[in-house]
Amino acid sequence: MAAVTADRSSVGAIPQLGHAVILLGPPGAGKGTQAQRIAARYHLPHLSTGDMFRDHIRRETELGKRAKPLMERGELVPDDLVLSMVEERIAQPDCRNGFVFDGFPRTLAQAGDLERICQKQKFGCTFVLHMVVEPTLLMRRLTGRRICKAGGHIYNIYDRPPKREGICDQDGSELIHRPDDTEGVISERLHAYEVQTRPLVEYYTVRKLLSPVDAMAQADDVTASIARILDGAQIPR
Ligand code: AP5
């Protein structure tokens, strides 16, 4: 499928304002993989709500203690907890020119809140890249995923293995298997996506902010498709 650029005539008029780039798609669509690359290309911070929660869990904060059992079951964390964390994060100076969201928003309520925050903080444009993937590919991608402990670099034991088993090619650190990447929990996460997150496709389509991207292509080709869309919208590099 070719990437399609969404219609947004105001883009050229407000280049000085920040851009909210959202990667929307099911677990395993490649949001994290692409967010790392897109964030680097456009010098924007990569904001993964999943990573933020995993950090809270590691640090055993109150938020982490509330999120942990839900994440272990593959359920979403309640909107109010997500929102206060996100609002605090995007108020930080490194987000002034925009940010790349990976895993947020995930419910209609979160999307409405993001719209409100963006208006309040005067973020000019929102770009929603809808990562379209055949559901049958997702289980293999997720059960095979391994993540570098130090730098978050993403591998797949079937399709993108590291040169040395269990070791990150880029920084030599240990690769881990995420505890929610087991078949039972993955099924729950996919179900949560269908019920709670998929309605965002319609939400952003109506607002003419959605650009579909073929996320079944090779990762480099997916990056190129996304870059075409964002370059076309004159996001500065
Ligand atoms: P989160 O961490 O956001 O996980 P997710 O959405 O389930 O997405 P994943 O990280 O599993 O997949 P991805 O799309 O990033 O794929 P990746 O690039 O790694 O959320 C975890 C939990 O936190 C949630 O279940 C929830 O409990 C909570 N949470 C987080 N945000 C929340 C929110 N906003 N509201 C409420 N709760 C929230 O790639 C996957 C694999 O595929 C890798 O092995 C990769 O190498 C491979 N791959 C990637 N691209 C390609 C390609 N093009 N071709 C072949 N293989 C590829």
Side-chain angles (χ1 to χ4, degrees), residues 156-231:
N156 192 286
I157 55 169
Y158 307 120
D159 303 323
R160 191 171 176 259
K163 292 192 182 86
R164 277 192 300 156
E165 195 184 327
I167 304 291
C168 177
D169 295 344
Q170 297 188 51
D171 60 27
S173 73
E174 182 193 350
L175 299 182
I176 55 162
H177 189 203
R178 246 171 64 176
D180 59 346
D181 277 348
T182 55
E183 285 196 15
V185 182
I186 293 167
S187 299
E188 287 304 319
R189 288 161 58 202
L190 293 173
H191 178 71
Y193 177 81
E194 288 304 322
V195 174
Q196 292 168 278
T197 309
R198 189 173 286 283
L200 294 182
V201 173
E202 171 72 10
Y203 178 92
Y204 284 119
T205 300
V206 168
R207 284 161 178 73
K208 296 188 167 32
L209 296 173
L210 196 85
S211 298
V213 173
D214 176 6
M216 289 173 285
Q218 295 286 326
D220 288 349
D221 295 333
V222 179
T223 309
S225 297
I226 294 174
R228 267 197 300 279
I229 293 169
L230 299 181
D231 287 350

Side-chain angles (χ1 to χ4, degrees), residues 25-34 48-51 53-54 67 70-72 74-79 82 102-107 110 141-142 144-147 154-157 159-160 178 180-181 189 215-220 222:
K31 302 182 297 294
T33 302
Q34 297 302 327
S48 156
T49 43
D51 285 349
F53 283 125
R54 283 183 283 277
L70 298 162
M71 289 173 72
E72 283 173 350
E75 296 170 22
L76 295 189
V77 177
D79 291 333
V82 181
D102 153 15
F104 178 88
R106 249 172 153 108
T107 63
Q110 290 178 19
R141 282 192 183 185
L142 290 170
R145 173 169 56 184
R146 298 293 182 271
I147 303 175
I154 302 170
Y155 295 84
N156 192 286
I157 55 169
D159 303 323
R160 191 171 176 259
R178 246 171 64 176
D180 59 346
D181 277 348
R189 288 161 58 202
M216 289 173 285
Q218 295 286 326
D220 288 349
V222 179

Side-chain angles (χ1 to χ4, degrees), residues 109-130:
Q110 290 178 19
D113 284 328
L114 178 63
E115 209 168 300
R116 180 180 56 71
I117 297 171
C118 282
Q119 279 168 7
K120 194 169 97 186
Q121 301 200 2
K122 302 203 184 338
F123 280 106
C125 302
T126 302
F127 299 88
V128 185
L129 302 157
H130 178 209

Side-chain angles (χ1 to χ4, degrees), residues 7 11 25 36 93 113:
D7 166 33
V11 165
Q36 289 178 353
D113 284 328

